[in-house]
Amino acid sequence: MSTCMIFLLWLVSTPLAIHADSLPVGYLLNCGADEEAVEGPLKYVPDDHFISTGNKTTLNRTDILPRLRTLRFFPNAKARKFCYSFSVVKEGKYLVKTIFFYGGFDGGKEPPVFDQIIDGAKWGIVNTTEDYANGGSSFYEAIVVARNKILSVCLARNQHTAAGTSPFISSVEVYLIDDSVYNSTNFNENLLVTVARSRFGTDGEVVSFPDDDFNRYWEPFKDDNPFVLSQSNVTTSTFWNIPPPEAFKSALTTSRGKNLTVKWPPFSLPSGRYYIALYFQDNRTPSPYSWRVFDIYVNGEKFFQNINVTESGQSVVGTEWPLSGQTEISLVPVNNKTVGPLINAGELLLMLPSGGKTITRDVVAIEQFRTELTNEPEDWTGDPCLPRENSWTGVSCSDTVPVRILSLNLTGFGLSGSLPQSISKLTALKDLLLGDNKLSGNIPDLSSLKSLETLHLENNQFEGSVPSSMGELPNLREVYLQNNKLNGSIPDSLKNKRGVNVKLEMLADRDDAVVD
């Protein structure tokens, strides 16, 4: 599940004078564009250096944000995913935001529906239909810890993607965030997907950068409860999640001795485990009496007891809370205090399994092979094995942890390039099927592929001799090397190996051999 919220098509803002070192650390992409797009202090750059696939188009609209006027779309229906790649700090914590505005770029009436993926984890479904019908764009946001030095953000077709339609994207933002932010989450096993982030007691504008260091969107939320404005400022840099001071400017409240009940977020939640962060500040002018004490309940379950809220502000966090349907937050005053409870802001994020990853040495090996090819499959980016339904074309992997590459089948793909020595580092490989291509160069030493059973390199342009170590592979049962430019003779180690079907035609003697 991923969340979909309306993002304003046009933001009226005054350009801000902000020092360069105050800007968020990360990447801001203007997808499908040839030029930068500037919004206040933020600069969005073209996405060409972060992705090597897809088509670009421009919408004939002047009434929308500059970075929504272009997009990148992906028409190849055979590719399993399309990935942006970002150089990141391994084990760094990142906020990833994707933004979509359909604009009828393909001549259709409704936006296509598709999946999005972070590394090996299915992030959720992108469905912007309702937002687009209401004249808006949509954004999705996730918090993830990078497991490698490359972070991939991908789109992929699913069963809801109509024939003839294409996944698309307008903008991508990737921010490095502080270690303290959402730090009670086990990011080794989970990622967080933003469901709602609101500042209460206001119907004003969405608060984002520069008020929020990481350009998170804090949307206004009002209900039938009374609201109050704050009479003092809050130093939010000391809070774990570093909310913006603007989130404390207003609050929902109630009268002395009464419970405050807030139904938030204002929509039904799918069943799942959630991260909840709630923010409070006594709104009165600072004095020895500027404090409130109350208990917090979520759907009738005690969330926190005897919270003492002062003008300095306070936050309470809960992880792995099971929620489903409409959520109700209740604040119950303690001992009939002279003022009622209040609440300023809240964040709600869904916890999803992080999805695991392909073992690093296999990733490195197949990436090196990819760099030797001039026309690799379009979906050879991101994690090679995960998610399993979105593994690279021709790549099959183990179902168990650690996730290993077991088979590589690119027969007849028209590949050109060479087969690097690094292929021998795929030590769990059982099948290497690269026949009917235009691969050239020498066949590398494959002696470390102890699990290899089938080797098909026929109908290519390989040169040189057949490595003698090939006959030492204990599980090898089939070797097809015919129709190449190999010379010499079949190595004795292979010729004398029993139970192996060998097809090999040498330039020198045109041998055909079946060894049983």
Side-chain angles (χ1 to χ4, degrees):
M1 172 257 187
S2 56
T3 190
C4 179
M5 293 177 269
I6 292 180
F7 177 68
L8 300 180
L9 285 180
W10 186 260
L11 300 180
V12 179
S13 60
T14 303
L16 300 171
I18 291 185
H19 196 272
D21 59 9
S22 299
L23 295 175
V25 177
Y27 303 92
L28 291 83
L29 301 190
N30 186 16
C31 300
D34 295 321
E35 299 177 347
E36 295 176 347
V38 178
E39 295 175 13
L42 300 179
K43 182 185 296 183
Y44 293 80
V45 301
D47 63 345
D48 294 309
H49 294 302
F50 302 90
I51 193 166
S52 58
T53 184
N55 298 341
K56 302 192 291 186
T57 191
T58 300
L59 303 177
N60 187 23
R61 296 281 296 270
T62 58
D63 58 334
I64 56 177
L65 285 169
R67 64 183 161 116
L68 299 182
R69 298 174 191 171
T70 62
L71 58 84
R72 184 178 291 267
F73 66 99
F74 306 92
N76 184 354
K78 294 182 179 180
R80 296 179 179 177
K81 58 186 171 186
F82 312 94
C83 297
Y84 286 87
S85 297
F86 300 95
S87 296
V88 293
V89 178
K90 186 177 181 180
E91 303 301 330
K93 191 180 297 179
Y94 288 86
L95 183 149
V96 178
K97 187 188 301 177
T98 51
I99 299 174
F100 305 87
F101 181 66
Y102 172 55
F105 76 91
D106 57 0
K109 295 182 178 180
E110 290 190 352
V113 178
F114 47 91
D115 287 337
Q116 57 183 344
I117 298 163
I118 294 182
D119 285 341
K122 185 70 67 69
W123 177 355
I125 296 175
V126 176
N127 187 345
T128 65
T129 303
E130 182 177 353
D131 286 345
Y132 181 66
N134 292 329
S137 61
S138 308
F139 79 89
Y140 297 76
E141 182 186 282
I143 314 296
V144 63
V145 167
R147 298 189 170 195
N148 295 297
K149 294 181 180 180
I150 298 293
L151 181 70
S152 60
V153 179
C154 315
L155 308 180
R157 283 175 168 77
N158 60 24
Q159 69 271 24
H160 306 293
T161 311
T165 65
S166 303
F168 71 95
I169 191 164
S170 303
S171 182
V172 184
E173 301 174 18
V174 179
Y175 300 107
L176 179 65
I177 62 178
D178 290 21
D179 288 339
S180 70
V181 180
Y182 313 115
N183 66 353
S184 56
T185 303
N186 181 1
F187 282 103
N188 290 325
E189 298 179 359
N190 301 283
L191 60 87
L192 295 177
V193 175
T194 304
V195 176
R197 182 179 291 113
S198 302
R199 53 194 189 104
F200 299 142
T202 179
D203 52 9
E205 296 181 349
V206 174
V207 169
S208 58
F209 187 83
D211 297 295
D212 187 287
D213 290 346
F214 313 118
N215 201 22
R216 293 170 295 187
Y217 297 153
W218 297 78
E219 298 186 291
F221 176 86
K222 249 186 177 183
D223 60 10
D224 293 332
N225 287 300
F227 66 92
V228 292
L229 301 179
S230 175
Q231 303 301 313
S232 60
N233 295 323
V234 177
T235 303
T236 60
S237 58
T238 60
F239 287 64
W240 279 356
N241 292 343
I242 318 178
E246 284 291 325
F248 293 87
K249 292 295 186 182
S250 61
L252 296 174
T253 189
T254 190
S255 303
R256 170 183 175 180
K258 291 186 177 181
N259 296 349
L260 173 61
T261 299
V262 181
K263 292 184 177 181
W264 174 85
F267 48 81
S268 182
L269 299 176
S271 179
R273 299 174 300 127
Y274 289 83
Y275 174 101
I276 307 172
L278 304 176
Y279 302 91
F280 311 88
Q281 183 213 14
D282 192 299
N283 69 297
R284 296 171 294 173
T285 302
S287 76
Y289 306 101
S290 299
W291 50 274
R292 306 168 188 241
V293 180
F294 47 88
D295 295 336
I296 307 170
Y297 293 83
V298 175
N299 291 343
E301 298 289 333
K302 185 167 285 187
F303 187 73
F304 197 87
Q305 184 172 359
N306 287 341
I307 184 172
N308 188 346
V309 175
T310 69
E311 76 276 4
S312 297
Q314 181 67 278
S315 66
V316 178
V317 169
T319 59
E320 301 199 35
W321 271 75
L323 297 178
S324 180
Q326 178 63 61
T327 301
E328 185 175 276
I329 300 171
S330 299
L331 309 181
V332 180
V334 175
N335 297 328
N336 196 24
K337 293 298 181 184
T338 57
V339 289
L342 85 175
I343 184 169
N344 296 77
E347 294 183 274
L348 185 66
L349 299 96
L350 175 66
M351 302 181 70
L352 291 180
S354 57
K357 66 173 185 175
T358 306
I359 194 169
T360 301
R361 62 185 176 190
D362 280 11
V363 175
V364 172
I366 201 165
E367 284 280 3
Q368 289 178 343
F369 177 42
R370 181 180 65 84
T371 61
E372 295 292 332
L373 301 175
T374 57
N375 51 346
E376 73 275 10
E378 190 172 347
D379 55 16
W380 271 39
T381 53
D383 191 288
C385 295
L386 299 173
R388 299 190 187 282
E389 61 270 32
N390 303 104
S391 62
W392 290 7
T393 293
V395 175
S396 299
C397 305
S398 64
D399 294 326
T400 56
V401 177
V403 179
R404 303 294 309 273
I405 296 175
L406 302 182
S407 176
L408 185 56
N409 184 357
L410 294 173
T411 303
F413 270 72
L415 302 176
S416 10
S418 61
L419 188 62
Q421 184 60 52
S422 62
I423 205 74
S424 65
K425 296 179 181 178
L426 297 175
T427 54
L429 201 64
K430 294 183 178 180
D431 303 296
L432 182 56
L433 310 175
L434 300 175
D436 299 312
N437 285 294
K438 300 176 182 178
L439 299 173
S440 58
N442 294 330
I443 297 174
D445 179 8
L446 304 176
S447 58
S448 60
L449 301 184
K450 305 300 184 184
S451 299
L452 192 66
E453 299 175 2
T454 307
L455 176 64
H456 282 199
L457 301 178
E458 74 277 11
N459 302 322
N460 277 285
Q461 299 171 13
F462 287 109
E463 301 172 339
S465 59
V466 178
S468 60
S469 58
M470 198 174 291
E472 300 170 4
L473 300 178
N475 294 296
L476 195 62
R477 296 292 176 265
E478 191 168 88
V479 181
Y480 288 2
L481 300 176
Q482 70 272 24
N483 295 327
N484 279 287
K485 299 178 181 180
L486 300 170
N487 53 43
S489 59
I490 300 176
D492 291 341
S493 60
L494 186 58
K495 185 181 297 184
N496 298 330
K497 187 175 178 63
R498 300 188 64 81
V500 182
N501 179 9
V502 180
K503 289 188 177 182
L504 173 60
E505 190 178 67
M506 315 296 286
L507 287 176
D509 51 15
R510 298 293 180 181
D511 287 334
D512 257 344
V514 176
V515 183
D516 39 66

